[in-house]
Amino acid sequence: MILVTSNRHKFQEIAAMFHGTGIPLEWRQMKYEEIQEDTTEMISYRSCVEVRKYLHDDFFLEDTGLYVPSLYGFPGPYSSYVNATIGYAGLQRLVEGKDRRAYFKTVISLSMGGSITQFGGILRGEISSKARGTTGFGFDPVFIPEGENLTLAEMEIDLKNRFSHRGRAVSVLIEYLISLEPKR
Ligand code: ITT
């Protein structure tokens, strides 16, 4: 199965989940045109339609957004841009004095045998006032999952995968792929 992403961290997290499933995972490190849409579902879907124009093997990609309800859902579909511009420190300033609750949403789009199937995962938590940790990427240093004390950047990949947005979406994808295999 091919994973299309330009992001090494995403590949590492997803590869850790495929490990031991018997399904080989190949990383196609490729930056594709991300069509701006209002939802993570639509960005993921439209990106998949774009990539399948030139990649005819089965593959999947995913889009992830960080949603802060007290900021009317911002940055949501603009998470890449916000991360690359004001970064997590800018986001921390925006939530100062506001409800800090936030959630990550990952939507995987699988292109297989002529159709596209989506798998989603959500992780609820809050934006911390202090950045902590050095693992992970993006907004990980300022995101504390519900019921936890550590930020995502203070967790090893396997722990993050156990309950993260991406971990949940990937585990449903893996279940689906296994269900397609001929019964032995
Ligand atoms: P692709 O090539 O797969 O599109 P990307 O890095 O552009 O890689 P996204 O558009 O899905 O990925 O991600 C939007 C932003 O959200 C991205 O810049 C990350 O910084 C951030 N992000 C995504 N997943 C995250 C996670 O698990 N933890 C923290 N930040 C994350």
PDB file of all heavy atoms in Angstrom, residues 4-7 10 13 30-32 34 43 61-66 76 78-81 83-84 104 106 137-141 152 160 164-166, ligand 1:
ATOM      1  N   VAL A   4       0.899   8.577   0.295  1.00  0.00           N
ATOM      2  CA  VAL A   4       1.390   9.798  -0.338  1.00  0.00           C
ATOM      3  C   VAL A   4       1.374  10.933   0.677  1.00  0.00           C
ATOM      4  O   VAL A   4       0.306  11.313   1.171  1.00  0.00           O
ATOM      5  CB  VAL A   4       0.507  10.170  -1.565  1.00  0.00           C
ATOM      6  CG1 VAL A   4       0.944  11.511  -2.150  1.00  0.00           C
ATOM      7  CG2 VAL A   4       0.577   9.086  -2.631  1.00  0.00           C
ATOM      8  N   THR A   5       2.538  11.431   1.007  1.00  0.00           N
ATOM      9  CA  THR A   5       2.638  12.605   1.884  1.00  0.00           C
ATOM     10  C   THR A   5       4.018  13.208   1.745  1.00  0.00           C
ATOM     11  O   THR A   5       4.987  12.495   1.471  1.00  0.00           O
ATOM     12  CB  THR A   5       2.367  12.256   3.370  1.00  0.00           C
ATOM     13  OG1 THR A   5       2.536  13.444   4.165  1.00  0.00           O
ATOM     14  CG2 THR A   5       3.299  11.199   3.929  1.00  0.00           C
ATOM     15  N   SER A   6       4.094  14.517   1.972  1.00  0.00           N
ATOM     16  CA  SER A   6       5.407  15.174   1.963  1.00  0.00           C
ATOM     17  C   SER A   6       5.987  15.185   3.376  1.00  0.00           C
ATOM     18  O   SER A   6       7.111  15.591   3.582  1.00  0.00           O
ATOM     19  CB  SER A   6       5.255  16.618   1.476  1.00  0.00           C
ATOM     20  OG  SER A   6       4.451  17.341   2.388  1.00  0.00           O
ATOM     21  N   ASN A   7       5.171  14.745   4.337  1.00  0.00           N
ATOM     22  CA  ASN A   7       5.503  14.933   5.753  1.00  0.00           C
ATOM     23  C   ASN A   7       6.098  13.650   6.379  1.00  0.00           C
ATOM     24  O   ASN A   7       5.393  12.659   6.568  1.00  0.00           O
ATOM     25  CB  ASN A   7       4.204  15.352   6.466  1.00  0.00           C
ATOM     26  CG  ASN A   7       4.427  15.737   7.902  1.00  0.00           C
ATOM     27  OD1 ASN A   7       5.224  15.112   8.599  1.00  0.00           O
ATOM     28  ND2 ASN A   7       3.717  16.753   8.349  1.00  0.00           N
ATOM     29  N   LYS A  10       4.367  12.228   9.556  1.00  0.00           N
ATOM     30  CA  LYS A  10       3.144  11.459   9.288  1.00  0.00           C
ATOM     31  C   LYS A  10       3.520  10.044   8.877  1.00  0.00           C
ATOM     32  O   LYS A  10       2.934   9.071   9.332  1.00  0.00           O
ATOM     33  CB  LYS A  10       2.354  12.076   8.122  1.00  0.00           C
ATOM     34  CG  LYS A  10       1.510  13.261   8.465  1.00  0.00           C
ATOM     35  CD  LYS A  10       0.654  13.578   7.237  1.00  0.00           C
ATOM     36  CE  LYS A  10      -0.153  14.824   7.417  1.00  0.00           C
ATOM     37  NZ  LYS A  10      -0.965  15.152   6.218  1.00  0.00           N
ATOM     38  N   GLU A  13       4.643   7.961  11.875  1.00  0.00           N
ATOM     39  CA  GLU A  13       3.534   7.544  12.743  1.00  0.00           C
ATOM     40  C   GLU A  13       2.725   6.418  12.090  1.00  0.00           C
ATOM     41  O   GLU A  13       2.367   5.429  12.725  1.00  0.00           O
ATOM     42  CB  GLU A  13       2.612   8.740  13.051  1.00  0.00           C
ATOM     43  CG  GLU A  13       3.269   9.753  13.980  1.00  0.00           C
ATOM     44  CD  GLU A  13       2.357  10.928  14.342  1.00  0.00           C
ATOM     45  OE1 GLU A  13       1.146  10.870  14.076  1.00  0.00           O
ATOM     46  OE2 GLU A  13       2.884  11.915  14.899  1.00  0.00           O
ATOM     47  N   MET A  30       5.802  13.068  -1.661  1.00  0.00           N
ATOM     48  CA  MET A  30       5.408  13.879  -2.796  1.00  0.00           C
ATOM     49  C   MET A  30       4.547  15.016  -2.279  1.00  0.00           C
ATOM     50  O   MET A  30       3.656  14.821  -1.447  1.00  0.00           O
ATOM     51  CB  MET A  30       4.594  12.916  -3.673  1.00  0.00           C
ATOM     52  CG  MET A  30       3.948  13.417  -4.835  1.00  0.00           C
ATOM     53  SD  MET A  30       3.477  11.870  -5.729  1.00  0.00           S
ATOM     54  CE  MET A  30       1.794  12.194  -5.948  1.00  0.00           C
ATOM     55  N   LYS A  31       4.862  16.220  -2.737  1.00  0.00           N
ATOM     56  CA  LYS A  31       4.036  17.375  -2.355  1.00  0.00           C
ATOM     57  C   LYS A  31       3.021  17.552  -3.463  1.00  0.00           C
ATOM     58  O   LYS A  31       3.373  17.682  -4.628  1.00  0.00           O
ATOM     59  CB  LYS A  31       4.921  18.627  -2.213  1.00  0.00           C
ATOM     60  CG  LYS A  31       4.200  19.833  -1.627  1.00  0.00           C
ATOM     61  CD  LYS A  31       3.927  19.696  -0.147  1.00  0.00           C
ATOM     62  CE  LYS A  31       2.766  20.573   0.299  1.00  0.00           C
ATOM     63  NZ  LYS A  31       2.108  20.103   1.510  1.00  0.00           N
ATOM     64  N   TYR A  32       1.747  17.498  -3.130  1.00  0.00           N
ATOM     65  CA  TYR A  32       0.725  17.688  -4.151  1.00  0.00           C
ATOM     66  C   TYR A  32      -0.004  18.992  -3.888  1.00  0.00           C
ATOM     67  O   TYR A  32       0.039  19.542  -2.785  1.00  0.00           O
ATOM     68  CB  TYR A  32      -0.258  16.501  -4.161  1.00  0.00           C
ATOM     69  CG  TYR A  32      -0.782  16.139  -2.791  1.00  0.00           C
ATOM     70  CD1 TYR A  32      -1.866  16.797  -2.248  1.00  0.00           C
ATOM     71  CD2 TYR A  32      -0.161  15.150  -2.030  1.00  0.00           C
ATOM     72  CE1 TYR A  32      -2.332  16.481  -0.981  1.00  0.00           C
ATOM     73  CE2 TYR A  32      -0.612  14.819  -0.770  1.00  0.00           C
ATOM     74  CZ  TYR A  32      -1.700  15.498  -0.248  1.00  0.00           C
ATOM     75  OH  TYR A  32      -2.156  15.202   0.999  1.00  0.00           O
ATOM     76  N   GLU A  34      -2.611  21.194  -2.717  1.00  0.00           N
ATOM     77  CA  GLU A  34      -3.700  21.014  -1.757  1.00  0.00           C
ATOM     78  C   GLU A  34      -4.790  22.020  -2.085  1.00  0.00           C
ATOM     79  O   GLU A  34      -4.596  23.224  -1.918  1.00  0.00           O
ATOM     80  CB  GLU A  34      -3.164  21.225  -0.330  1.00  0.00           C
ATOM     81  CG  GLU A  34      -4.015  20.546   0.711  1.00  0.00           C
ATOM     82  CD  GLU A  34      -3.375  20.619   2.088  1.00  0.00           C
ATOM     83  OE1 GLU A  34      -2.550  19.750   2.404  1.00  0.00           O
ATOM     84  OE2 GLU A  34      -3.718  21.552   2.827  1.00  0.00           O
ATOM     85  N   ILE A  43     -10.856  18.598   1.558  1.00  0.00           N
ATOM     86  CA  ILE A  43      -9.446  18.773   1.145  1.00  0.00           C
ATOM     87  C   ILE A  43      -8.847  17.395   0.862  1.00  0.00           C
ATOM     88  O   ILE A  43      -8.178  17.182  -0.150  1.00  0.00           O
ATOM     89  CB  ILE A  43      -8.621  19.508   2.234  1.00  0.00           C
ATOM     90  CG1 ILE A  43      -9.132  20.932   2.427  1.00  0.00           C
ATOM     91  CG2 ILE A  43      -7.125  19.515   1.868  1.00  0.00           C
ATOM     92  CD1 ILE A  43      -8.495  21.680   3.584  1.00  0.00           C
ATOM     93  N   LEU A  61      -3.871   8.943   1.138  1.00  0.00           N
ATOM     94  CA  LEU A  61      -3.261  10.150   1.686  1.00  0.00           C
ATOM     95  C   LEU A  61      -4.174  10.601   2.802  1.00  0.00           C
ATOM     96  O   LEU A  61      -5.263  10.061   2.986  1.00  0.00           O
ATOM     97  CB  LEU A  61      -3.079  11.220   0.598  1.00  0.00           C
ATOM     98  CG  LEU A  61      -4.268  11.605  -0.271  1.00  0.00           C
ATOM     99  CD1 LEU A  61      -5.256  12.481   0.468  1.00  0.00           C
ATOM    100  CD2 LEU A  61      -3.791  12.355  -1.514  1.00  0.00           C
ATOM    101  N   GLU A  62      -3.731  11.572   3.570  1.00  0.00           N
ATOM    102  CA  GLU A  62      -4.608  12.078   4.628  1.00  0.00           C
ATOM    103  C   GLU A  62      -4.450  13.573   4.784  1.00  0.00           C
ATOM    104  O   GLU A  62      -3.402  14.136   4.462  1.00  0.00           O
ATOM    105  CB  GLU A  62      -4.342  11.348   5.943  1.00  0.00           C
ATOM    106  CG  GLU A  62      -2.939  11.482   6.510  1.00  0.00           C
ATOM    107  CD  GLU A  62      -2.845  12.464   7.658  1.00  0.00           C
ATOM    108  OE1 GLU A  62      -3.208  13.632   7.451  1.00  0.00           O
ATOM    109  OE2 GLU A  62      -2.375  12.060   8.739  1.00  0.00           O
ATOM    110  N   ASP A  63      -5.503  14.213   5.248  1.00  0.00           N
ATOM    111  CA  ASP A  63      -5.420  15.619   5.600  1.00  0.00           C
ATOM    112  C   ASP A  63      -5.831  15.759   7.059  1.00  0.00           C
ATOM    113  O   ASP A  63      -6.743  15.074   7.522  1.00  0.00           O
ATOM    114  CB  ASP A  63      -6.334  16.466   4.707  1.00  0.00           C
ATOM    115  CG  ASP A  63      -6.048  17.939   4.927  1.00  0.00           C
ATOM    116  OD1 ASP A  63      -4.957  18.396   4.532  1.00  0.00           O
ATOM    117  OD2 ASP A  63      -6.870  18.639   5.542  1.00  0.00           O
ATOM    118  N   THR A  64      -5.100  16.616   7.760  1.00  0.00           N
ATOM    119  CA  THR A  64      -5.392  16.817   9.181  1.00  0.00           C
ATOM    120  C   THR A  64      -5.599  18.305   9.443  1.00  0.00           C
ATOM    121  O   THR A  64      -4.885  19.137   8.889  1.00  0.00           O
ATOM    122  CB  THR A  64      -4.218  16.286  10.037  1.00  0.00           C
ATOM    123  OG1 THR A  64      -4.120  14.867   9.840  1.00  0.00           O
ATOM    124  CG2 THR A  64      -4.422  16.566  11.508  1.00  0.00           C
ATOM    125  N   GLY A  65      -6.570  18.616  10.303  1.00  0.00           N
ATOM    126  CA  GLY A  65      -6.799  20.007  10.700  1.00  0.00           C
ATOM    127  C   GLY A  65      -6.944  20.092  12.205  1.00  0.00           C
ATOM    128  O   GLY A  65      -7.380  19.134  12.853  1.00  0.00           O
ATOM    129  N   LEU A  66      -6.542  21.234  12.763  1.00  0.00           N
ATOM    130  CA  LEU A  66      -6.726  21.496  14.195  1.00  0.00           C
ATOM    131  C   LEU A  66      -7.834  22.533  14.323  1.00  0.00           C
ATOM    132  O   LEU A  66      -7.729  23.638  13.763  1.00  0.00           O
ATOM    133  CB  LEU A  66      -5.417  22.033  14.798  1.00  0.00           C
ATOM    134  CG  LEU A  66      -5.489  22.470  16.262  1.00  0.00           C
ATOM    135  CD1 LEU A  66      -5.845  21.300  17.171  1.00  0.00           C
ATOM    136  CD2 LEU A  66      -4.155  23.081  16.704  1.00  0.00           C
ATOM    137  N   GLY A  76      -8.494  24.994  11.511  1.00  0.00           N
ATOM    138  CA  GLY A  76      -9.217  24.001  10.703  1.00  0.00           C
ATOM    139  C   GLY A  76      -8.561  23.726   9.358  1.00  0.00           C
ATOM    140  O   GLY A  76      -7.408  23.277   9.307  1.00  0.00           O
ATOM    141  N   TYR A  78      -7.172  25.592   7.401  1.00  0.00           N
ATOM    142  CA  TYR A  78      -6.001  26.443   7.138  1.00  0.00           C
ATOM    143  C   TYR A  78      -4.819  26.069   8.042  1.00  0.00           C
ATOM    144  O   TYR A  78      -3.889  26.844   8.213  1.00  0.00           O
ATOM    145  CB  TYR A  78      -6.356  27.925   7.342  1.00  0.00           C
ATOM    146  CG  TYR A  78      -7.594  28.326   6.591  1.00  0.00           C
ATOM    147  CD1 TYR A  78      -8.797  28.537   7.262  1.00  0.00           C
ATOM    148  CD2 TYR A  78      -7.575  28.443   5.205  1.00  0.00           C
ATOM    149  CE1 TYR A  78      -9.952  28.860   6.574  1.00  0.00           C
ATOM    150  CE2 TYR A  78      -8.726  28.761   4.502  1.00  0.00           C
ATOM    151  CZ  TYR A  78      -9.913  28.968   5.190  1.00  0.00           C
ATOM    152  OH  TYR A  78     -11.037  29.271   4.498  1.00  0.00           O
ATOM    153  N   SER A  79      -4.852  24.874   8.618  1.00  0.00           N
ATOM    154  CA  SER A  79      -3.837  24.491   9.612  1.00  0.00           C
ATOM    155  C   SER A  79      -2.410  24.515   9.054  1.00  0.00           C
ATOM    156  O   SER A  79      -1.484  24.952   9.740  1.00  0.00           O
ATOM    157  CB  SER A  79      -4.150  23.105  10.180  1.00  0.00           C
ATOM    158  OG  SER A  79      -5.361  23.152  10.897  1.00  0.00           O
ATOM    159  N   SER A  80      -2.227  24.068   7.823  1.00  0.00           N
ATOM    160  CA  SER A  80      -0.883  24.076   7.212  1.00  0.00           C
ATOM    161  C   SER A  80      -0.358  25.497   7.141  1.00  0.00           C
ATOM    162  O   SER A  80       0.782  25.775   7.518  1.00  0.00           O
ATOM    163  CB  SER A  80      -0.943  23.575   5.765  1.00  0.00           C
ATOM    164  OG  SER A  80      -0.790  22.222   5.728  1.00  0.00           O
ATOM    165  N   TYR A  81      -1.202  26.383   6.647  1.00  0.00           N
ATOM    166  CA  TYR A  81      -0.809  27.781   6.457  1.00  0.00           C
ATOM    167  C   TYR A  81      -0.501  28.440   7.800  1.00  0.00           C
ATOM    168  O   TYR A  81       0.497  29.141   7.960  1.00  0.00           O
ATOM    169  CB  TYR A  81      -1.945  28.521   5.723  1.00  0.00           C
ATOM    170  CG  TYR A  81      -1.608  29.951   5.423  1.00  0.00           C
ATOM    171  CD1 TYR A  81      -0.668  30.267   4.443  1.00  0.00           C
ATOM    172  CD2 TYR A  81      -2.221  30.996   6.127  1.00  0.00           C
ATOM    173  CE1 TYR A  81      -0.337  31.579   4.176  1.00  0.00           C
ATOM    174  CE2 TYR A  81      -1.896  32.300   5.868  1.00  0.00           C
ATOM    175  CZ  TYR A  81      -0.959  32.596   4.888  1.00  0.00           C
ATOM    176  OH  TYR A  81      -0.629  33.902   4.633  1.00  0.00           O
ATOM    177  N   ASN A  83       0.354  26.941  10.583  1.00  0.00           N
ATOM    178  CA  ASN A  83       1.572  26.346  11.136  1.00  0.00           C
ATOM    179  C   ASN A  83       2.813  26.973  10.489  1.00  0.00           C
ATOM    180  O   ASN A  83       3.792  27.264  11.162  1.00  0.00           O
ATOM    181  CB  ASN A  83       1.552  24.839  10.922  1.00  0.00           C
ATOM    182  CG  ASN A  83       2.757  24.172  11.540  1.00  0.00           C
ATOM    183  OD1 ASN A  83       2.975  24.262  12.738  1.00  0.00           O
ATOM    184  ND2 ASN A  83       3.572  23.540  10.717  1.00  0.00           N
ATOM    185  N   ALA A  84       2.732  27.201   9.183  1.00  0.00           N
ATOM    186  CA  ALA A  84       3.890  27.742   8.460  1.00  0.00           C
ATOM    187  C   ALA A  84       4.058  29.250   8.667  1.00  0.00           C
ATOM    188  O   ALA A  84       5.124  29.794   8.372  1.00  0.00           O
ATOM    189  CB  ALA A  84       3.746  27.444   6.973  1.00  0.00           C
ATOM    190  N   PHE A 104      -8.198  17.746  16.975  1.00  0.00           N
ATOM    191  CA  PHE A 104      -7.579  17.408  15.696  1.00  0.00           C
ATOM    192  C   PHE A 104      -8.529  16.494  14.948  1.00  0.00           C
ATOM    193  O   PHE A 104      -9.134  15.594  15.550  1.00  0.00           O
ATOM    194  CB  PHE A 104      -6.296  16.599  15.909  1.00  0.00           C
ATOM    195  CG  PHE A 104      -5.065  17.407  16.166  1.00  0.00           C
ATOM    196  CD1 PHE A 104      -4.484  17.425  17.425  1.00  0.00           C
ATOM    197  CD2 PHE A 104      -4.464  18.127  15.143  1.00  0.00           C
ATOM    198  CE1 PHE A 104      -3.316  18.141  17.664  1.00  0.00           C
ATOM    199  CE2 PHE A 104      -3.294  18.849  15.373  1.00  0.00           C
ATOM    200  CZ  PHE A 104      -2.727  18.857  16.627  1.00  0.00           C
ATOM    201  N   THR A 106      -8.394  13.969  11.478  1.00  0.00           N
ATOM    202  CA  THR A 106      -7.684  13.398  10.333  1.00  0.00           C
ATOM    203  C   THR A 106      -8.697  12.711   9.433  1.00  0.00           C
ATOM    204  O   THR A 106      -9.552  11.969   9.928  1.00  0.00           O
ATOM    205  CB  THR A 106      -6.666  12.332  10.805  1.00  0.00           C
ATOM    206  OG1 THR A 106      -5.623  12.985  11.527  1.00  0.00           O
ATOM    207  CG2 THR A 106      -6.035  11.579   9.635  1.00  0.00           C
ATOM    208  N   PHE A 137       5.504  16.855  15.785  1.00  0.00           N
ATOM    209  CA  PHE A 137       5.620  17.954  14.815  1.00  0.00           C
ATOM    210  C   PHE A 137       4.437  18.897  14.940  1.00  0.00           C
ATOM    211  O   PHE A 137       3.528  18.668  15.752  1.00  0.00           O
ATOM    212  CB  PHE A 137       5.715  17.380  13.397  1.00  0.00           C
ATOM    213  CG  PHE A 137       4.467  16.680  12.938  1.00  0.00           C
ATOM    214  CD1 PHE A 137       3.614  17.264  12.011  1.00  0.00           C
ATOM    215  CD2 PHE A 137       4.141  15.427  13.425  1.00  0.00           C
ATOM    216  CE1 PHE A 137       2.461  16.624  11.581  1.00  0.00           C
ATOM    217  CE2 PHE A 137       2.979  14.773  12.995  1.00  0.00           C
ATOM    218  CZ  PHE A 137       2.148  15.375  12.079  1.00  0.00           C
ATOM    219  N   GLY A 138       4.465  19.949  14.122  1.00  0.00           N
ATOM    220  CA  GLY A 138       3.337  20.875  14.041  1.00  0.00           C
ATOM    221  C   GLY A 138       2.913  21.426  15.392  1.00  0.00           C
ATOM    222  O   GLY A 138       3.728  21.984  16.136  1.00  0.00           O
ATOM    223  N   PHE A 139       1.637  21.224  15.718  1.00  0.00           N
ATOM    224  CA  PHE A 139       1.071  21.788  16.944  1.00  0.00           C
ATOM    225  C   PHE A 139       1.248  20.876  18.164  1.00  0.00           C
ATOM    226  O   PHE A 139       0.714  21.168  19.241  1.00  0.00           O
ATOM    227  CB  PHE A 139      -0.426  22.082  16.731  1.00  0.00           C
ATOM    228  CG  PHE A 139      -0.685  23.033  15.593  1.00  0.00           C
ATOM    229  CD1 PHE A 139      -1.105  22.560  14.351  1.00  0.00           C
ATOM    230  CD2 PHE A 139      -0.483  24.400  15.745  1.00  0.00           C
ATOM    231  CE1 PHE A 139      -1.329  23.433  13.288  1.00  0.00           C
ATOM    232  CE2 PHE A 139      -0.712  25.283  14.694  1.00  0.00           C
ATOM    233  CZ  PHE A 139      -1.127  24.799  13.460  1.00  0.00           C
ATOM    234  N   ASP A 140       1.965  19.778  18.013  1.00  0.00           N
ATOM    235  CA  ASP A 140       2.122  18.818  19.109  1.00  0.00           C
ATOM    236  C   ASP A 140       2.602  19.437  20.435  1.00  0.00           C
ATOM    237  O   ASP A 140       2.117  19.051  21.498  1.00  0.00           O
ATOM    238  CB  ASP A 140       3.062  17.667  18.713  1.00  0.00           C
ATOM    239  CG  ASP A 140       2.373  16.617  17.853  1.00  0.00           C
ATOM    240  OD1 ASP A 140       1.134  16.646  17.759  1.00  0.00           O
ATOM    241  OD2 ASP A 140       3.073  15.767  17.281  1.00  0.00           O
ATOM    242  N   PRO A 141       3.564  20.386  20.410  1.00  0.00           N
ATOM    243  CA  PRO A 141       4.055  20.918  21.694  1.00  0.00           C
ATOM    244  C   PRO A 141       3.005  21.686  22.504  1.00  0.00           C
ATOM    245  O   PRO A 141       3.209  21.914  23.692  1.00  0.00           O
ATOM    246  CB  PRO A 141       5.198  21.866  21.275  1.00  0.00           C
ATOM    247  CG  PRO A 141       5.606  21.410  19.920  1.00  0.00           C
ATOM    248  CD  PRO A 141       4.353  20.904  19.268  1.00  0.00           C
ATOM    249  N   LEU A 152       1.329  16.279  23.274  1.00  0.00           N
ATOM    250  CA  LEU A 152       1.634  15.220  22.295  1.00  0.00           C
ATOM    251  C   LEU A 152       3.133  15.169  22.000  1.00  0.00           C
ATOM    252  O   LEU A 152       3.661  14.104  21.691  1.00  0.00           O
ATOM    253  CB  LEU A 152       0.855  15.457  20.995  1.00  0.00           C
ATOM    254  CG  LEU A 152      -0.644  15.178  21.031  1.00  0.00           C
ATOM    255  CD1 LEU A 152      -1.286  15.596  19.711  1.00  0.00           C
ATOM    256  CD2 LEU A 152      -0.931  13.707  21.329  1.00  0.00           C
ATOM    257  N   LYS A 160       1.283   8.146  21.297  1.00  0.00           N
ATOM    258  CA  LYS A 160       0.432   9.083  20.536  1.00  0.00           C
ATOM    259  C   LYS A 160      -0.523   8.304  19.621  1.00  0.00           C
ATOM    260  O   LYS A 160      -1.713   8.587  19.562  1.00  0.00           O
ATOM    261  CB  LYS A 160       1.305  10.057  19.720  1.00  0.00           C
ATOM    262  CG  LYS A 160       0.495  11.015  18.857  1.00  0.00           C
ATOM    263  CD  LYS A 160       1.351  12.004  18.075  1.00  0.00           C
ATOM    264  CE  LYS A 160       0.498  12.816  17.093  1.00  0.00           C
ATOM    265  NZ  LYS A 160       1.275  13.699  16.226  1.00  0.00           N
ATOM    266  N   SER A 164      -4.511   8.947  19.105  1.00  0.00           N
ATOM    267  CA  SER A 164      -4.555  10.184  18.311  1.00  0.00           C
ATOM    268  C   SER A 164      -5.563  10.101  17.165  1.00  0.00           C
ATOM    269  O   SER A 164      -6.009   9.019  16.771  1.00  0.00           O
ATOM    270  CB  SER A 164      -3.167  10.496  17.744  1.00  0.00           C
ATOM    271  OG  SER A 164      -2.875   9.644  16.657  1.00  0.00           O
ATOM    272  N   HIS A 165      -5.898  11.284  16.641  1.00  0.00           N
ATOM    273  CA  HIS A 165      -6.707  11.435  15.429  1.00  0.00           C
ATOM    274  C   HIS A 165      -6.186  10.515  14.316  1.00  0.00           C
ATOM    275  O   HIS A 165      -6.917   9.744  13.729  1.00  0.00           O
ATOM    276  CB  HIS A 165      -6.653  12.902  14.989  1.00  0.00           C
ATOM    277  CG  HIS A 165      -5.286  13.522  15.144  1.00  0.00           C
ATOM    278  ND1 HIS A 165      -4.679  13.650  16.352  1.00  0.00           N
ATOM    279  CD2 HIS A 165      -4.375  13.978  14.238  1.00  0.00           C
ATOM    280  CE1 HIS A 165      -3.468  14.177  16.199  1.00  0.00           C
ATOM    281  NE2 HIS A 165      -3.258  14.376  14.918  1.00  0.00           N
ATOM    282  N   ARG A 166      -4.863  10.603  14.059  1.00  0.00           N
ATOM    283  CA  ARG A 166      -4.273   9.809  12.971  1.00  0.00           C
ATOM    284  C   ARG A 166      -4.299   8.319  13.324  1.00  0.00           C
ATOM    285  O   ARG A 166      -4.630   7.480  12.490  1.00  0.00           O
ATOM    286  CB  ARG A 166      -2.832  10.292  12.717  1.00  0.00           C
ATOM    287  CG  ARG A 166      -2.106   9.575  11.614  1.00  0.00           C
ATOM    288  CD  ARG A 166      -0.851  10.321  11.201  1.00  0.00           C
ATOM    289  NE  ARG A 166      -1.139  11.665  10.744  1.00  0.00           N
ATOM    290  CZ  ARG A 166      -0.923  12.774  11.469  1.00  0.00           C
ATOM    291  NH1 ARG A 166      -0.357  12.713  12.652  1.00  0.00           N
ATOM    292  NH2 ARG A 166      -1.267  13.954  10.999  1.00  0.00           N
TER     293      ARG A 166
HETATM  294  P1  ITT B   1       0.895  16.421   3.422  1.00  0.00           P
HETATM  295  O1  ITT B   1       1.964  16.374   2.378  1.00  0.00           O
HETATM  296  O2  ITT B   1       0.490  15.050   3.873  1.00  0.00           O
HETATM  297  O3  ITT B   1      -0.296  17.276   3.044  1.00  0.00           O
HETATM  298  P2  ITT B   1       1.235  18.427   5.527  1.00  0.00           P
HETATM  299  O4  ITT B   1       2.308  18.606   6.556  1.00  0.00           O
HETATM  300  O5  ITT B   1       0.987  19.556   4.565  1.00  0.00           O
HETATM  301  O6  ITT B   1       1.584  17.080   4.746  1.00  0.00           O
HETATM  302  P3  ITT B   1      -1.557  18.578   6.550  1.00  0.00           P
HETATM  303  O7  ITT B   1      -1.934  19.577   5.522  1.00  0.00           O
HETATM  304  O8  ITT B   1      -2.462  17.407   6.752  1.00  0.00           O
HETATM  305  O9  ITT B   1      -0.073  17.991   6.286  1.00  0.00           O
HETATM  306  O10 ITT B   1      -1.361  19.198   7.981  1.00  0.00           O
HETATM  307  C1  ITT B   1      -1.797  20.484   8.327  1.00  0.00           C
HETATM  308  C2  ITT B   1      -0.915  21.045   9.410  1.00  0.00           C
HETATM  309  O11 ITT B   1      -1.399  20.534  10.648  1.00  0.00           O
HETATM  310  C3  ITT B   1       0.540  20.631   9.268  1.00  0.00           C
HETATM  311  O12 ITT B   1       1.288  21.720   8.875  1.00  0.00           O
HETATM  312  C4  ITT B   1       0.956  20.183  10.649  1.00  0.00           C
HETATM  313  O13 ITT B   1       1.833  21.124  11.183  1.00  0.00           O
HETATM  314  C5  ITT B   1      -0.328  20.140  11.469  1.00  0.00           C
HETATM  315  N1  ITT B   1      -0.535  18.765  11.930  1.00  0.00           N
HETATM  316  C6  ITT B   1      -1.024  17.727  11.212  1.00  0.00           C
HETATM  317  N2  ITT B   1      -1.066  16.616  11.958  1.00  0.00           N
HETATM  318  C7  ITT B   1      -0.575  16.957  13.173  1.00  0.00           C
HETATM  319  C8  ITT B   1      -0.344  16.239  14.369  1.00  0.00           C
HETATM  320  O14 ITT B   1      -0.587  14.939  14.475  1.00  0.00           O
HETATM  321  N3  ITT B   1       0.177  16.913  15.400  1.00  0.00           N
HETATM  322  C9  ITT B   1       0.454  18.225  15.325  1.00  0.00           C
HETATM  323  N4  ITT B   1       0.269  18.966  14.241  1.00  0.00           N
HETATM  324  C10 ITT B   1      -0.236  18.335  13.155  1.00  0.00           C
END
